Amino acid sequence: MVELTKRQMEIVNAAIKVIAELGYMKLTTKNLAKEMGVTDAALYKHFASKKELIRMILCYFEQVSCSIIEKLNNSNLSGLGRIRGFVMNRYEIFCEEPDLARVMFSEELFLNDPSLEEKMLSIMHIHRDVVMGFIRKGQQEDEIRPELNPMHIFRMVVGSMRLLVNQWNMSRHAFDLKAEGKALLEEIIKLIEVQNETSDDQDR
């Protein structure tokens, strides 16, 4: 994982804003320099190409992801608690940085560029392995139904999150993403968690 300098972070944030507002094709040195209020020449020493700049954006997203993953792995939370923590953190980040939500789900960033696709796929695999680890932990702790396939649960949890964020982006943030996200996640948890018998059932 590459650590970004303060100046690189400023460039990344400006690039994210340009892509979100104008589109990927409008991410030019001229538009980026205008957004930052600097000259074109001042940017060249920080990145060699548009491709490298997109890679910097992906590195930033990777840093954000690994930060919450580390906190969850070092916590005393149960498997389900860690799943909740990971998913709700995604919603919180996207609410705080709506431009990032639009950019990270923009497939044109990686179109016809295998190296960028590979980088994004690597980040997605990190998420997959981490969340599936949380799921298996929940199954071992008798929180999550053991007969369910962890990969299928992962796709339910993360796939529904991606769909909801896309709907939020397309509606121009017409609904409360965190509230809807929490409600959706809790419905999925009802489907996958081990159902404890009620006292009435036990008395029969």
Side-chain angles (χ1 to χ4, degrees), residues 55-113:
R55 186 172 290 276
M56 286 169 57
I57 293 175
L58 291 176
C59 286
Y60 166 62
F61 188 62
E62 185 178 23
Q63 283 184 12
V64 171
S65 295
C66 288
S67 175
I68 183 60
I69 288 170
E70 183 178 0
K71 289 179 181 178
L72 290 170
N73 282 334
N74 292 330
S75 74
N76 294 321
L77 291 172
S78 66
L80 276 179
R82 294 183 186 192
I83 292 171
R84 284 188 174 99
F86 179 83
V87 173
M88 292 311 299
N89 175 261
R90 301 291 91 182
Y91 289 130
E92 288 167 7
I93 288 172
F94 291 143
C95 285
E96 292 171 2
E97 301 183 56
D99 288 344
L100 179 63
R102 185 173 295 277
V103 170
M104 291 314 301
F105 292 138
S106 174
E107 294 183 1
E108 64 176 338
L109 287 181
F110 323 111
L111 193 62
N112 300 322
D113 195 320

Side-chain angles (χ1 to χ4, degrees), residues 7 10-11 14 28-47:
R7 190 56 169 170
E10 292 173 351
I11 295 171
T28 63
T29 304
K30 180 179 179 180
N31 285 335
L32 187 56
K34 181 179 179 181
E35 175 64 32
M36 297 186 68
V38 299
T39 63
D40 294 17
L43 297 176
Y44 285 123
K45 63 180 179 180
H46 295 286
F47 63 96

Side-chain angles (χ1 to χ4, degrees), residues 166-179:
N166 277 332
Q167 290 176 331
W168 183 66
N169 282 330
M170 294 178 69
S171 71
R172 297 187 181 276
H173 314 152
F175 58 87
D176 186 329
L177 179 62
K178 284 195 289 187

Side-chain angles (χ1 to χ4, degrees), residues 105-176:
F105 292 138
S106 174
E107 294 183 1
E108 64 176 338
L109 287 181
F110 323 111
L111 193 62
N112 300 322
D113 195 320
S115 65
L116 292 177
E117 286 182 336
E118 183 179 350
K119 179 64 177 176
M120 187 60 186
L121 190 61
S122 173
I123 296 173
M124 291 172 67
H125 284 172
I126 291 173
H127 292 174
R128 178 200 63 193
D129 293 344
V130 167
V131 175
M132 285 180 64
F134 296 162
I135 293 167
R136 292 190 180 100
K137 177 178 171 62
Q139 289 177 321
Q140 292 167 0
E141 295 170 342
D142 294 325
E143 287 185 305
I144 297 175
R145 291 164 55 191
E147 75 275 13
L148 298 181
N149 186 317
M151 176 63 81
H152 294 168
I153 298 175
F154 164 76
R155 287 172 177 161
M156 289 171 61
V157 171
V158 176
S160 63
M161 176 178 65
R162 185 181 181 91
L163 174 61
L164 186 63
V165 173
N166 277 332
Q167 290 176 331
W168 183 66
N169 282 330
M170 294 178 69
S171 71
R172 297 187 181 276
H173 314 152
F175 58 87
D176 186 329

